[in-house]
Amino acid sequence: MEQQYATKADVLAKAKELGSMIAETEEVDFFKRAEAQINKNLRVQELIGKIKAKQKEAVNLQHYQKHEALKETEREIDELNAEIESIPLVVEFQQSQTEVNHLLQLVSTSISNTVTDTIIESTGGDKLQGTTNHNPFMNITKK
């Protein structure tokens, strides 16, 4: 009896299916709604615009080695970032980003662990030790 192997195309098709499922989760839905609110919020957009302008200014100051002016501009950028990060809507958006990233990391870790466990089991290995087969060097006693 010949073993059936999954092809790369099969795996990618399942990955796309899993990606679609993830896109339909509560976490992703909340993220999309939070992002839409961020994009509509004039104060947030104004602050983002100011930060981008200051960042360009900082690049120019660094290029021309204007160290004191650069320090001042970096301080202004920090203040703008602190202001934007104090807006509850932005805090919610950042939390939703973290939750989506956590979900993606959880899926990635689960896939990785499943592949590793399957390899260990199929080679007669030991999942607790993380070895794929009997290692003759594991039983050497110290003298």
Side-chain angles (χ1 to χ4, degrees), residues 17-113:
E17 184 180 331
L18 182 57
S20 293
M21 285 178 66
I22 291 169
E24 297 301 319
T25 62
E26 213 174 298
E27 292 87 350
V28 171
D29 182 60
F30 186 83
F31 171 82
K32 290 189 292 189
R33 287 185 284 121
E35 184 178 40
Q37 287 181 334
I38 288 275
N39 290 334
K40 285 191 254 179
N41 187 292
L42 296 177
R43 181 67 183 141
V44 171
Q45 293 307 310
E46 176 189 359
L47 288 168
I48 289 171
K50 285 182 178 181
I51 290 168
K52 287 180 180 180
K54 288 290 178 185
Q55 287 171 333
K56 285 180 184 179
E57 184 180 324
V59 168
N60 287 333
L61 291 169
Q62 186 173 22
H63 177 74
Y64 292 109
Q65 299 183 3
K66 306 273 187 177
H67 302 294
E68 289 306 313
L70 176 59
K71 283 181 188 176
E72 175 62 23
T73 301
E74 287 173 340
R75 185 190 60 72
E76 291 171 3
I77 291 170
D78 289 344
E79 286 177 4
L80 289 166
N81 277 322
E83 185 177 345
I84 200 169
E85 289 174 3
S86 71
I87 298 171
L89 180 63
V90 173
V91 173
E92 284 182 14
F93 175 71
Q94 290 171 330
Q95 287 172 339
S96 73
Q97 277 183 313
T98 300
E99 288 176 21
V100 170
N101 286 338
H102 182 261
L103 175 61
L104 292 171
Q105 187 63 46
L106 190 63
V107 168
S108 176
T109 299
S110 178
I111 291 169
S112 177
N113 289 344

Side-chain angles (χ1 to χ4, degrees), residues 116-117 119-135 138:
T116 299
D117 289 351
I119 290 169
I120 290 171
E121 288 171 1
S122 71
T123 59
D126 183 340
K127 286 198 308 189
L128 291 177
Q129 291 187 0
T131 56
T132 54
N133 56 24
H134 180 69
N135 184 340
M138 294 298 287

